[in-house]
Amino acid sequence: MTGRLIVLTGPSGVGKGTLLKALLERHPELYLSISATTRLPREGEVEGVHYYFYPRDRFEATIEAGALLEWAEFAGNYYGTPIEPVRAQIDRGNSVILEIELAGARQVAKIFPTALRIFILPPDIATLETRIRERGTDSAAAIERRLAQATVEIAAQDEFDYRIVNDDFELALDELDRLVTG
Ligand code: 5GP
């Protein structure tokens, strides 16, 4: 049996990370892919746990080597999914979750048409804006880029198999759980 590939996308600040953390507590058998990025670590982020933090030249060499399943530039940094751990987990029959932005989700849809693609929506744009601004970890310029990108991503929501509105957290979590494990 091979595992399923699940793609979770949604604008920055929508709460994907918090939903996934809670989902993995319920289902430790799920494997969350750890991405590589050229973004600097936020406070509390740990190398190899939240991301692999690469300098740009190393990231570009990794692209060249064909070692990424997908990659994209987002708000001025590279982000990508190392292919090997994903392949290994799928081969072992484990489901793998990729938490990635829109361009990456589109690449995965081409390579793995059977991947389950889920889009997380905010209750409304104002809520999202507040969440991004209050996170307080990004520069003003980065916040503006993330807000602009959020509009682009939300406009593409219909490309996804399922959409979940993250308004009531527990309801959103139950729905995600049902889709991922169903
Ligand atoms: P953040 O900087 O907030 O951690 O992530 C910014 C955006 O990059 C988020 O939308 C996140 O889902 C996305 N992202 C994280 N890892 C990857 C990846 O490996 N590939 C792609 N395409 N996007 C990613």
Side-chain angles (χ1 to χ4, degrees):
M1 193 191 107
T2 54
R4 282 208 300 176
L5 190 61
I6 297 151
V7 174
L8 198 73
T9 302
S12 180
V14 80
K16 292 171 299 214
T18 317
L19 279 168
L20 278 176
K21 191 163 173 278
L23 183 73
L24 289 165
E25 277 164 17
R26 286 187 184 182
H27 301 286
E29 75 280 8
L30 293 171
Y31 176 84
L32 178 63
S33 161
I34 302 165
S35 298
T37 184
T38 58
R39 162 165 87 55
L40 293 176
R42 292 192 183 120
E43 204 179 312
E45 283 184 336
V46 177
E47 163 73 19
V49 175
H50 299 93
Y51 279 108
Y52 298 106
F53 296 99
Y54 284 9
R56 281 187 90 82
D57 56 353
R58 181 169 176 202
F59 196 102
E60 284 164 359
T62 309
I63 298 172
E64 287 301 309
L68 298 177
L69 170 61
E70 59 71 39
W71 64 274
E73 273 198 275
F74 181 92
N77 283 296
Y78 284 128
Y79 295 80
T81 304
I83 195 163
E84 215 29 66
V86 174
R87 194 178 278 153
Q89 293 292 333
I90 297 269
D91 287 349
R92 253 179 249 160
N94 297 330
S95 290
V96 175
I97 304 181
L98 310 183
E99 192 248 278
I100 60 178
E101 53 66 72
L102 180 62
R106 285 175 172 158
Q107 291 170 49
V108 174
K110 282 201 187 127
I111 310 166
F112 285 95
T114 57
L116 175 70
R117 292 183 312 138
I118 303 170
F119 193 87
I120 311 289
L121 282 157
D124 51 70
I125 281 282
T127 310
L128 189 73
E129 196 167 334
T130 308
R131 284 191 201 154
I132 295 178
R133 291 190 191 285
E134 286 181 352
R135 185 155 64 185
T137 50
D138 300 303
S139 68
I143 287 173
E144 292 316 314
R145 284 199 296 262
R146 281 168 185 268
L147 286 171
Q149 192 55 31
T151 312
V152 173
E153 297 211 335
I154 290 170
Q157 58 175 285
D158 290 346
E159 294 176 24
F160 288 75
D161 300 315
Y162 295 96
R163 288 173 290 283
I164 298 174
V165 180
N166 188 15
D167 187 0
D168 180 305
F169 180 79
E170 288 301 324
L171 283 181
L173 177 60
D174 285 345
E175 206 174 333
L176 182 63
D177 190 337
R178 196 172 48 78
L179 292 177
V180 167
T181 61

